[in-house]
Every structure is written in structure tokens, then in C-alpha cells.
Amino acid sequence: MPNFTPQEWQIRCDLAAAYRLISFFGMDDLISTHLSARLPGAEPRFLLNPYGLMFDEITASSLVAVDPEGHAIQREDESKINNAGFTIHSAVHMNRDNAHCVIHTHTLAGMAVAAQGQGLLPLNQKSMCFFGGVAYHEYEGVALDLSERDRLVRDLGKKDVMILKHHGLLTIGRTVSEAFLNMYLLEQSCRIQIAATQGGQQIVLPSEGVAAHTASQFHEHGYNRSARPWAALKRRLNRISPDYAS
């Protein structure tokens, strides 16, 4: 835990674990996409992956602290950061007090659903947990234009999950574990939708009342806020990839 407070080291370990788990579940995209986490303190600081590492190479100590523009705060000459990749993340972090972690992916299923006009369908209880809670943002090209941040924040509103049209998926959380579990459920929902719609058979949707009731059940029990699945996932990492916490 060199030169880090215990609180920062815990956030670093959790974010490194999330990077490894994104890779483990096949949600990574070579060296593209990002997971970011807010660090404690008076000045806004965020953790981001060093550009060029695969997600299964990320460790707690390799994560780089950046400012709201994505510039490395320390070791700038040694840190390779994809500044443009932080455009989306900084917009959410700086405009949502509860966005302590932001996860963005380019998965096959996520990008496929992002190309479908109807958006995410309530085909299964996993996807029903997001009923009425998915935000959408129209594609504007590669996220290099900083003016897009205002429109992205507007479209996200108070929701915790977003489908970026023709692009990918985005989730936020008050903790790293909450953002990850939101992404896991959203990714599984997209995989279910692609599997259900590619067979050519008629799909059957539940009533809006049932879908809304299921969503309220998920919110009431707070699966994405439970410590149990995250603790179980970290135990798995401790068995198969313990160097994430180094």
C-alpha cells in the first residue's frame, strides 16, 4: 500500500478487481473502454487505467489518478492516459454526486442492442429490473467533442444505466461494486435479448404492470447494493488472479 491512504487503497483494489472481472466475463474490448472511480478529498480526483494495458493486467497500484479533464496528476511523464476516453466519465462524475464509479463497455451484445430501435426489452427478470430506468444517448461520433458532455448528462438524468446508441453501455454506482453489478445485469439483459430475437420466433413481452412490479422488487431488495455477490466475486479473483490487489 505504498503512498496511499487505506481508503484510497481500498478503492484502488476494488476498481482493479472490477477491471479483472470485466475481462473475466468477456466484457472488455482489447485496450479500449474505461472504468473510473472517484477518490476522496477536497479536489476532484479520479482513478483511470493506464492506456495500453489489457484489463487482465490492471493492478491497484497501476491505476492512475487524473483530474476532471483526464490528465495525470502525478507521474505525468510516465503515465499514458487516453484523455478522450475520459470525456464521458468526467461528464458523469462531475454532474452526479452519487457517481463514484462509472463503467463503459463495448460488448457485442451491448452494441447490438444499442443498434436496435426499440432499445432494451423486458424479456427476462434480469432486464425487467431496468424497466423504466434505462437512459439513451444518440450517437454523435467518437467522444472527442467536450460539448457532448452536457448532452450526455442531460440524457442520463437521474438514471444509473444508459445505452449509448451505436456505441455501447454505461453504468454508474455509489460504489465500484454497485456500478459493476449494474453492468453485469445490463450486459446479461442484452445477451438475453440478442439470443431471444435471433431465432426468428415471436417474442412475448410481459405486461407493463408485471415489468414495473419486478423492477420495484429489484430496487427494494437492492441486489446491486448487496455485499454478498461482490464479496463472492472477489473471493474468485483471490483464487485465480490475486495480483489484482498489488
Side-chain angles (χ1 to χ4, degrees):
M1 199 174 63
N3 302 321
F4 302 123
T5 66
Q7 188 176 8
E8 176 172 340
W9 185 247
Q10 183 60 58
I11 295 171
R12 282 178 171 271
C13 288
D14 279 347
L15 190 61
Y19 271 104
R20 297 292 183 99
L21 290 166
I22 288 288
S23 175
F24 180 84
F25 287 107
M27 293 187 280
D28 52 348
D29 181 20
L30 297 181
I31 62 172
S32 299
T33 76
H34 300 278
L35 290 68
S36 59
R38 185 194 306 272
L39 286 172
E43 296 297 323
R45 298 181 303 139
F46 310 93
L47 292 176
L48 196 66
N49 57 310
Y51 192 51
L53 292 186
M54 300 290 283
F55 281 15
D56 61 0
E57 298 178 294
I58 301 294
T59 63
S61 57
S62 71
L63 293 164
V64 180
V66 300
D67 64 19
E69 301 304 320
H71 299 116
I73 294 173
Q74 296 175 331
R75 298 182 303 150
E76 187 169 2
D77 57 332
E78 303 174 15
S79 304
K80 296 180 180 179
I81 304 298
N82 182 358
N83 297 45
F86 196 59
T87 299
I88 293 172
H89 292 249
S90 62
V92 179
H93 279 302
M94 297 302 291
N95 288 276
R96 286 279 298 269
D97 290 338
N98 63 344
H100 290 286
C101 181
V102 179
I103 297 178
H104 171 47
T105 62
H106 297 160
T107 64
L108 180 63
M111 290 189 292
V113 171
Q116 295 179 345
Q118 76 275 17
L120 187 68
L121 298 172
L123 293 173
N124 180 273
Q125 66 178 13
K126 290 185 185 296
S127 46
M128 282 184 233
C129 79
F130 297 115
F131 185 76
V134 181
Y136 295 89
H137 177 64
E138 293 294 333
Y139 187 65
E140 298 186 20
V142 179
L144 299 174
D145 185 356
L146 295 182
S147 70
E148 185 181 355
R149 292 190 289 193
D150 292 336
R151 295 183 290 278
L152 189 145
V153 169
R154 176 201 65 201
D155 292 340
L156 179 63
K158 296 183 178 180
K159 296 176 179 176
D160 291 344
V161 300
M162 172 179 273
I163 293 179
L164 305 165
K165 293 292 190 70
H166 313 292
H167 189 173
L169 307 177
L170 179 86
T171 62
I172 71 170
R174 288 164 287 189
T175 61
V176 173
S177 62
E178 184 174 305
F180 177 83
L181 292 169
N182 275 335
M183 181 58 76
Y184 178 81
L185 285 174
L186 184 60
E187 171 67 15
Q188 291 299 309
S189 300
C190 290
R191 293 184 186 186
I192 290 166
Q193 182 160 322
I194 298 305
T197 56
Q198 69 183 185
Q201 300 297 314
Q202 179 182 0
I203 58 172
V204 179
L205 297 178
S207 68
E208 290 193 3
V210 167
H213 173 62
T214 304
S216 68
Q217 290 177 309
F218 268 93
H219 295 317
E220 178 182 353
H221 293 286
Y223 167 83
N224 63 344
R225 296 187 298 277
S226 171
R228 290 182 178 180
W230 183 245
L233 287 166
K234 290 182 74 173
R235 289 197 302 272
R236 169 179 279 177
L237 279 181
N238 288 333
R239 292 192 301 270
I240 66 174
S241 188
D243 65 317
Y244 77 92
S246 64

